[in-house]
Amino acid sequence: MRTVSTLDELRDSRLSLDGTVGLVPTMGFLHDGHLSLIRRARDECKRVVVSIFVNPTQFGPKEDLAKYPRDLERDFRLIEPFTDLVWTPAPESMYPTGYQTWVEVEAVTRPLEGAMRPGHFKGVTTVVAKLFNAVQPHKAYFGQKDAQQAAVIRRMVRDLNFPIEIVVCPTQREADGLAMSSRNVYLDTEQRKAATVLFHSLSAARELYESGERDAATVREKMKDVLASEPLAEPQYVSCADYDTLEELNEIKGKALLSMAVFIGKTRLIDNFVLG
Ligand code: PAF
């Protein structure tokens, strides 16, 4: 595995990568969720590039960029068996002084995470476009856990004609159903137990759907009821929306996305299930 940090080094190393190149963009502090993306890239591509960059522009003013967990040495050890090239750009090279160019996707970024975290997706799409331009992968891998991010990136790739296939991989879960996330390390023992309520709420809603319920309001109510049974859970939003546009549904017809953001203590967790 070759490790590079400057753009020149990245471009030089990229030239020597032959065949299909898969990119897995990450912010580091890797867990099994990231490793499942990297393994999938390894299975599908001749060469695998991983980027590790804690992107400052996708953090809001109240979100603590400085506290975002980091452990590069451990990350390198974990990905070494599956990765040809790892790129760890410096923030000043991604956003040099005077930086003023942004990539913004419109409607699909507005609801859900976009409504709660203004400016977040502008930071995500800008950095992902920059990573795509630099690495020029044939395929790029993202997790279904960040369902809106995946929908936004699919839209950006279509709209800007990036010749890149976006592969969205299933959410990796702990044995009790909690979706894997770098943020889970912030939960204490009691909060960690309480956090399974997201999975239970989504599971109850999916059961309702599987028993034939198609009224989206009833499905949303079911999710809220289960969340309300956990005193430590403070829901921020609960949604039953169209899978591609993320517009809230009245009736579930095609593919739909059940999603939620819930505070457990100070930790904000998100999770989702796809229906249909
Ligand atoms: O999902 C993430 O870790 C980040 O949003 C991404 C895609 C690496 C962009 O910074």
Side-chain angles (χ1 to χ4, degrees):
M1 180 176 83
R2 199 178 296 173
T3 307
V4 295
S5 54
T6 70
L7 202 48
D8 283 346
E9 287 170 330
L10 183 267
R11 288 191 177 127
D12 267 4
S13 304
R14 171 65 183 90
L15 283 177
S16 63
L17 296 181
D18 55 330
T20 313
V21 172
L23 170 66
V24 185
T26 79
M27 298 212 300
F29 207 68
L30 305 175
H31 51 66
D32 279 351
H34 297 107
L35 295 183
S36 75
L37 305 183
I38 298 171
R39 278 198 210 100
R40 173 91 174 259
R42 179 83 278 161
D43 286 349
E44 294 184 356
C45 304
K46 183 157 182 212
R47 302 292 178 192
V48 176
V49 180
V50 175
S51 61
I52 302 182
F53 179 60
V54 182
N55 175 34
T57 64
Q58 68 189 76
F59 285 76
K62 288 191 191 138
E63 298 172 353
D64 205 340
L65 168 65
K67 271 202 189 142
Y68 195 82
R70 293 162 167 90
D71 191 344
L72 265 189
E73 291 308 314
R74 181 177 157 274
D75 289 346
F76 289 164
R77 267 200 316 278
L78 287 173
I79 65 177
E80 214 269 326
F82 317 103
T83 305
D84 296 284
L85 177 62
V86 56
W87 181 31
T88 57
E92 340 43 282
S93 72
M94 295 302 267
Y95 300 107
T97 309
Y99 189 86
Q100 48 186 297
T101 305
W102 302 95
V103 176
E104 245 182 304
V105 175
E106 296 189 340
V108 68
T109 63
R110 288 196 192 114
L112 310 175
E113 290 301 290
M116 298 300 144
R117 305 178 68 189
H120 169 71
F121 285 118
K122 182 176 162 187
V124 170
T125 44
T126 299
V127 81
V128 171
K130 287 167 74 74
L131 297 171
F132 284 177
N133 281 336
V135 176
Q136 308 217 339
H138 300 92
K139 295 182 169 207
Y141 294 80
F142 296 88
Q144 176 59 31
K145 157 99 185 342
D146 293 303
Q148 187 171 14
Q149 170 170 282
V152 168
I153 288 167
R154 284 200 307 265
R155 186 73 261 165
M156 177 185 81
V157 162
R158 280 200 295 265
D159 290 353
L160 295 183
N161 311 111
F162 278 106
I164 299 172
E165 184 188 332
I166 301 302
V167 182
V168 180
C169 306
T171 303
Q172 299 298 301
R173 297 184 179 279
E174 305 290 352
D176 61 3
L178 178 67
M180 288 185 186
S181 161
S182 307
R183 295 203 161 91
N184 294 350
V185 293
Y186 300 135
L187 301 167
D188 67 24
T189 314
E190 200 190 350
Q191 291 169 340
R192 171 63 189 77
K193 260 194 199 157
T196 57
V197 74
L198 281 82
F199 177 73
H200 294 310
S201 164
L202 289 163
S203 304
R206 183 171 59 192
E207 262 174 42
L208 202 57
Y209 169 82
E210 282 169 356
S211 72
E213 184 59 73
R214 292 294 179 269
D215 178 52
T218 308
V219 171
R220 279 189 286 269
E221 278 316 304
K222 184 66 175 179
M223 291 192 277
K224 287 182 194 163
D225 285 350
V226 177
L227 290 174
S229 70
E230 172 49 66
L232 294 185
E234 277 180 49
Q236 210 178 28
Y237 66 76
V238 163
S239 161
C240 175
D242 177 84
Y243 177 76
D244 279 312
T245 66
L246 302 184
E247 282 165 20
E248 288 303 315
L249 294 170
N250 293 321
E251 192 190 347
I252 307 173
K253 281 186 195 142
K255 216 170 166 183
L257 182 77
L258 302 178
S259 67
M260 56 181 58
V262 179
F263 275 99
I264 305 284
K266 286 199 173 123
T267 307
R268 184 174 182 277
L269 300 177
I270 59 171
D271 201 355
N272 67 82
F273 277 8
V274 179
L275 300 180

